[in-house]
Amino acid sequence: MQENQLYRKVYVYLNSLTSIEDSDFTNLFTGKKSNEIILGLDPNQIIEDDFLGARVFWINQEKNDTNTCRTFVLKVRKADKRRILRPYLQHIHTVSDELDQKKKDLRLYVNIQNHPSQEGRWRSIPFTHPSTFETIAMESDLKNKVKSDLESFLKAKQFYHRLGRVWKRSFLLYGPSGTGKSSFVAAMAKFLCYDVYDIDLSRVSDDSDLKMLLLQTKSKSVILIEDLDRFLANKSTAVSLSGVLNFMDGILNSCCLEERVMVFTMNGKELIDPAMLRPGRIDVHIHFPLCDFSAFKTLANSYLGLKDHKLFPQVEEVFQSGASLSPAEIGELMIANRNSPSRALKSVITALQTDGDGRGSSNIGRRLYDSWSRKSLDETGDSSSMFRENTVKEFKKLYGLLRIKSSRKAQSCDLSAEQKEG
Ligand SMILES: Nc1ncnc2c1ncn2[C@@H]1O[C@H](COP(=O)(O)OP(=O)(O)OP(=O)(O)O)[C@@H](O)[C@H]1O
Ligand SMILES: [Mg+2]
């Protein structure tokens, strides 16, 4: 059910050979830069290679009957076979691993409808999202915590294995629309140098199909499900709640989720079954709030190049009155008026006074979440809720845990600007 890794390595290796240029025919693609041309193997193309003085031939065979079957056929002289076969395959392993290491171009995989092809369920394009941690307006403490979380994760292989745990970490990003959740996922993937597998739940036919998708992902990747709350609330997916729970930490997940980061985004988590949010299923909760004055200043700096302006006190006053907009809304106003900073700031003030009235302080979703979190603390006293009350302390403890390699059970943590004072 999974891709044959030797096949993939041979593919990477052959595509790197200069002899691919000597073929009578091959595939041509444009590269990342507009004048870059990339040569790619064509079906049934023959590639020549030399190893330890022996000449070998590879044929990229593709049988086109009902199921497309992709095979590499290696032709070696009988006299050379015993001498070179093993070291040659070893050489291919080494070279393709080196090429993978050097690979800087990340890919974004999307799932396609289920159909009887051996090519798998994922199709990919270069992942060129421009967002980075630097471009995201977010409380800097929180941003740094996430960065060091990811750094610790990358180094924690031995730690996870000693505990008998799969080397994976899962994040929940929640908050209103346009607050930067998707952009943040892109920033995380780039920071980790991981590919992204973006699962579109509307194209998943049932729970076992979801498992199949998981099986066909590669390590060093971010597995993303966006708007999970919407899918579950509207029942607009054929996947059941238990299918999602198993996807998050079922037995299959423990076989094939090594070296992966799972990310789920939601507008609010108040309607989500608490079982889904328990530690282990979700390790880190990150709240994405509407814009406040501090985030506004970051946006003004990056979009308008303004560190300060005579209208800033007025903007601050409107924010203090409880008005707010999403960073996306404010960003749009700044882009539209980028040639005149004063006009841009005035339009932000007007929009805050009209569209943004009260959204910062009396947001219904926020109130619901606060009461949900207090309720679960009072009534159930479960560890994830308690953690929210004491975020900074617990967060430090958690990373302390990774550092001192203690074997204590990992907990979930909720990172949000409001709660960090906890
Ligand atoms: N915190 C932020 N800092 C900088 N830019 C932001 C921020 N939030 C949103 N933006 C900008 O607004 C646009 C929309 O952001 P994004 O798609 O990441 O929001 P989202 O939270 O995923 O929204 P939705 O819930 O609707 O999917 C992007 O172009 C992004 O650059
Ligand atoms: Mg989004």
Side-chain angles (χ1 to χ4, degrees), residues 137-143 145 174 285-290 292 294-295 366 369 391-392 414-422:
M138 180 186 231
E139 217 261 314
S140 61
D141 239 22
L142 180 58
K143 206 189 283 186
K145 275 176 205 153
Y174 67 100
H285 298 223
I286 308 175
H287 179 230
F288 285 73
L290 289 171
D292 59 7
S294 146
R366 211 47 243 140
Y369 162 63
T391 311
V392 171
D414 194 327
L415 306 179
S416 67
E418 293 97 316
Q419 291 155 350
K420 77 179 170 50
E421 253 90 54

Side-chain angles (χ1 to χ4, degrees), residues 59-70:
I59 304 151
N60 178 30
Q61 236 172 42
E62 218 170 83
K63 284 200 196 101
N64 255 325
D65 36 40
T66 42
N67 276 350
T68 310
C69 179
R70 294 173 302 147

Side-chain angles (χ1 to χ4, degrees), residues 293 296-297 308-321 345 349:
F293 182 59
F296 159 83
K297 282 198 289 188
D308 202 359
H309 193 275
K310 62 179 187 310
L311 288 173
F312 272 17
Q314 209 178 325
V315 179
E316 188 172 15
E317 212 173 285
V318 204
F319 274 115
Q320 277 169 356
S321 72
L345 297 188
I349 293 170

Side-chain angles (χ1 to χ4, degrees), residues 176-183 185 226-227 265 267:
S177 189
T179 50
K181 299 180 294 296
S182 303
S183 313
V185 180
E226 291 247 54
D227 305 319
T265 72
N267 283 346

Side-chain angles (χ1 to χ4, degrees), residues 305-359:
L306 290 182
K307 291 233 181 296
D308 202 359
H309 193 275
K310 62 179 187 310
L311 288 173
F312 272 17
Q314 209 178 325
V315 179
E316 188 172 15
E317 212 173 285
V318 204
F319 274 115
Q320 277 169 356
S321 72
S324 191
L325 291 170
S326 67
E329 289 166 316
I330 291 182
E332 284 307 311
L333 290 170
M334 289 177 172
I335 288 173
N337 297 290
R338 64 185 177 281
N339 295 328
S340 163
S342 298
R343 204 170 57 225
L345 297 188
K346 279 180 196 154
S347 65
V348 170
I349 293 170
T350 315
L352 281 167
Q353 285 167 338
T354 49
D355 311 334
D357 256 0
R359 275 169 62 182

Side-chain angles (χ1 to χ4, degrees), residues 24 46 57 67 78 119 158 174 207 255-256 399 401 418:
D24 292 341
I46 300 172
F57 297 91
N67 276 350
K78 223 175 200 162
E119 298 225 12
Q158 304 305 331
Y174 67 100
D207 293 354
C255 302
C256 60
Y399 296 106
L401 274 184
E418 293 97 316

